[in-house]
Amino acid sequence: MIVAAHYGRLRRLCRLLLGDPQEAEDVVQEVFLKAHEAERLARAPMDWGAWLTRVAVNGCRDRRRAGGWMRFRLRSTHIDDLPLVADTPAPSEAAISEDTRRRIWAAFRDLPRRQQEVFALRYIEEQPTTDVAQALGLSPGSVKRHLYRAVRHLRRALGDAR
Amino acid sequence: MSPCLSDDALERVHADLGSIAERAHLAGCAACTGRSRRMRRDLDLITAVLRETREPLTHVAPVRRRWIPAAVGLSVAALALLVWVEVAVWRAVTPVPATMQPQEVAAILSDVSASLFSVNGDPVRSTADDGPLTLEGMARDVDSTLTGDEP
């Protein structure tokens, strides 16, 4: 039940934060293992969503900290992520130019880790500022400042593409 | 009416960091409202790309260590400065010691020798006066010192 409700969004969040589908998959598996353990030990949280998000973000941080070597290798693509039919882009991708997409992704990767997390939770996960603050252990004011800097940086990258 | 908001101010308002005055202006200004809508569209595009598109395959940039070129440059400059000080400045201000003539060296050595082999505090006569030092002469001096005979 929990897995069905949260698997997709956690996978997307971890992929966004790690940039590696395989690593993201591993982190999500670990998150659900921890959730299972918490439930078994009768330590289930009141709000599974916030709990899972916090554990996933921490898992991604640990991965990034431990896997410094990964930054130097070519990022691989998991077999599931390869396009199945020819090279025709998905409609959403076709509507946005290749250059714009490349710039936005590069700008996102340029952001400091904390700003990436705040942006992903606030705008991609569409969580309210207070929930983002709680998940990341920040004050709401700090979340807003990180968000402001992240949006400014991303918009500039978009501006350059025009 | 207050002047239109800058892009920076608009972004602050978007992030809920704007002042009451800035928010009030935005509510009443058609131009700023239009720019704010454009900003919202940009943000929608950014989130759509990050949410729905695959990240382009790229070499992940290595951790940016901008200080490395600066450190290397500074080290090279410091080394060059050190070499220059050694070559140009230090040698110019350091007096070159006067080189001694071979005869002076021989005289000093024979004085040292005389002091070393002196008997009863009387220094052995310097051989520098007798001409240049020779092995035979030095051997004779040693023999005479050991046997107590005057050469």
Side-chain angles (χ1 to χ4, degrees):
Chain A
M1 183 72 176
I2 294 171
V3 175
H6 298 280
Y7 176 79
R9 79 172 179 88
L10 287 181
R11 187 162 172 258
R12 187 175 57 196
L13 176 66
C14 292
R15 283 174 68 158
L16 205 54
L17 296 182
L18 290 170
D20 185 309
Q22 192 57 52
E23 288 279 315
E25 195 67 48
D26 290 349
V27 171
V28 174
Q29 298 291 335
E30 285 170 17
V31 170
F32 284 119
L33 273 176
K34 284 178 183 168
H36 175 71
E37 191 71 5
E39 200 167 28
R40 197 175 62 80
L41 298 171
R43 290 199 306 229
M46 296 285 284
D47 182 355
W48 273 112
W51 188 90
L52 290 168
T53 303
R54 196 164 52 244
V55 174
V57 170
N58 287 337
C60 291
R61 278 185 200 161
D62 290 344
R63 284 277 164 156
R64 291 213 284 199
R65 216 173 287 140
W69 61 273
M70 278 183 53
R71 297 185 194 120
F72 296 97
R73 74 176 170 83
L74 182 67
R75 196 178 292 154
S76 62
T77 306
H78 193 251
I79 191 80
D80 295 343
D81 297 309
L82 290 170
L84 292 174
V85 185
D87 282 336
T88 41
S92 58
E93 293 188 16
I96 304 164
S97 78
E98 172 67 28
D99 185 50
T100 304
R101 278 194 294 137
R102 199 171 43 75
R103 278 172 183 272
I104 289 173
W105 275 108
F108 183 76
R109 288 284 166 238
D110 262 355
L111 290 174
R113 178 180 55 81
R114 185 67 90 183
Q115 287 179 28
Q116 284 187 16
E117 290 170 359
V118 168
F119 188 88
L121 290 179
R122 180 70 187 88
Y123 283 119
I124 310 295
E125 295 296 311
E126 296 179 335
Q127 293 188 11
T129 304
T130 47
D131 288 6
V132 176
Q134 205 180 354
L136 299 178
L138 298 170
S139 68
S142 183
V143 167
K144 288 174 188 173
R145 277 189 295 277
H146 282 304
L147 207 56
Y148 158 69
R149 291 190 193 118
V151 169
R152 192 176 53 175
H153 180 77
L154 290 167
R155 280 197 69 238
R156 276 191 190 150
L158 196 59
D160 293 343
R162 286 180 189 135
Chain B
M1 184 149 173
S2 56
C4 280
L5 300 177
S6 63
D7 274 2
D8 201 50
L10 267 181
E11 279 166 352
R12 271 202 309 275
V13 173
H14 255 278
D16 203 16
L17 288 169
S19 65
I20 295 170
E22 285 170 338
R23 274 180 282 164
H25 175 87
L26 182 60
C29 174
C32 287
T33 307
R35 283 168 57 222
S36 178
R37 272 202 211 103
R38 211 160 44 240
M39 202 171 276
R40 170 51 63 183
R41 277 201 300 275
D42 286 352
L43 207 50
D44 287 345
L45 175 63
I46 291 165
T47 50
V49 166
L50 295 177
R51 192 182 288 150
E52 293 161 22
T53 69
R54 282 184 298 266
E55 186 170 1
L57 288 179
T58 49
H59 273 287
V60 181
V63 178
R64 285 180 299 170
R65 292 192 174 125
R66 289 182 183 145
W67 55 269
I68 288 181
V72 169
L74 278 176
S75 304
V76 169
L79 200 66
L81 186 69
L82 204 67
V83 169
W84 179 76
V85 166
E86 164 64 18
V87 169
V89 181
W90 186 253
R91 287 196 182 165
V93 297
T94 309
V96 179
T99 50
M100 296 173 83
Q101 296 300 314
Q103 289 83 358
E104 290 175 297
V105 175
I108 289 171
L109 286 177
S110 46
D111 285 345
V112 170
S113 175
S115 303
L116 283 174
F117 296 110
S118 66
V119 180
N120 299 329
D122 299 330
V124 175
R125 188 170 52 83
S126 170
T127 54
D129 302 334
D130 303 335
L133 277 174
T134 60
L135 272 177
E136 289 79 10
M138 287 175 75
R140 239 188 349 264
D141 287 345
V142 171
D143 280 346
S144 61
T145 306
L146 291 174
T147 55
D149 299 335
E150 277 295 315

